[in-house]
Amino acid sequence: MNALRNSVRLLGHLGEDPKVRRLESGKVVANFNIATNEIYRDSNGNKQTETTWHRLVAWGKNAEVAEKYLKKGKEIAIEGKLTNRQWEDKNGEKQYITEVVINSLLMLDKASN
């Protein structure tokens, strides 16, 4: 059950091309966002769509796959864990961010010919 303590699964569409960096250590990291949509009917019976954006981080092989194959609009499924970071900006104010660090990545769009 420990594996379930911090586990996230998302299926959505990329909102941007991945931003890939190669660190001095040789590690590769990719940052990108995906949108997930929840569709429901409101109290009047009208169909509503609620979109939520998620920040993703991919390391190593997953980052290389993201760089090579992922483009804005592509549909993917990911499994990972939530992480929180904080830092001080140039004005000395604390900034916070929540991201999903990807453990596995599945491309759902069919390959274009």
Side-chain angles (χ1 to χ4, degrees):
M1 289 296 253
N2 282 338
L4 297 177
R5 290 187 190 266
N6 186 358
S7 180
V8 177
R9 291 182 180 167
L10 298 170
L11 185 137
H13 289 87
L14 272 74
E16 62 187 353
D17 290 350
K19 293 176 180 70
V20 179
R21 295 178 290 135
R22 284 167 173 69
L23 307 179
E24 289 182 22
S25 64
K27 292 182 180 182
V28 181
V29 61
N31 298 88
F32 50 100
N33 298 316
I34 64 167
T36 57
N37 293 318
E38 182 178 349
I39 299 170
Y40 63 93
R41 297 219 179 257
D42 64 18
S43 59
N44 297 322
N46 297 317
K47 192 175 182 181
Q48 301 291 327
T49 301
E50 183 175 319
T51 301
T52 303
W53 288 93
H54 310 273
R55 295 175 184 260
L56 306 180
V57 179
W59 291 92
K61 289 285 186 189
N62 285 327
E64 292 171 5
V65 167
E67 179 179 38
K68 188 170 183 179
Y69 298 107
L70 299 184
K71 300 289 180 218
K72 180 179 179 176
K74 293 279 188 181
E75 187 176 26
I76 64 169
I78 64 96
E79 186 275 324
K81 67 177 183 175
L82 279 180
T83 61
N84 297 298
R85 293 188 293 125
Q86 68 178 16
W87 69 94
E88 283 191 19
D89 65 14
K90 62 184 175 184
N91 298 324
E93 295 182 33
K94 283 195 175 183
Q95 301 293 318
Y96 301 90
I97 189 169
T98 300
E99 302 168 312
V100 178
V101 176
I102 297 173
N103 293 329
S104 57
L105 167 68
L106 179 63
M107 294 173 285
L108 300 176
D109 283 341
K110 293 183 176 143
S112 53
N113 296 335

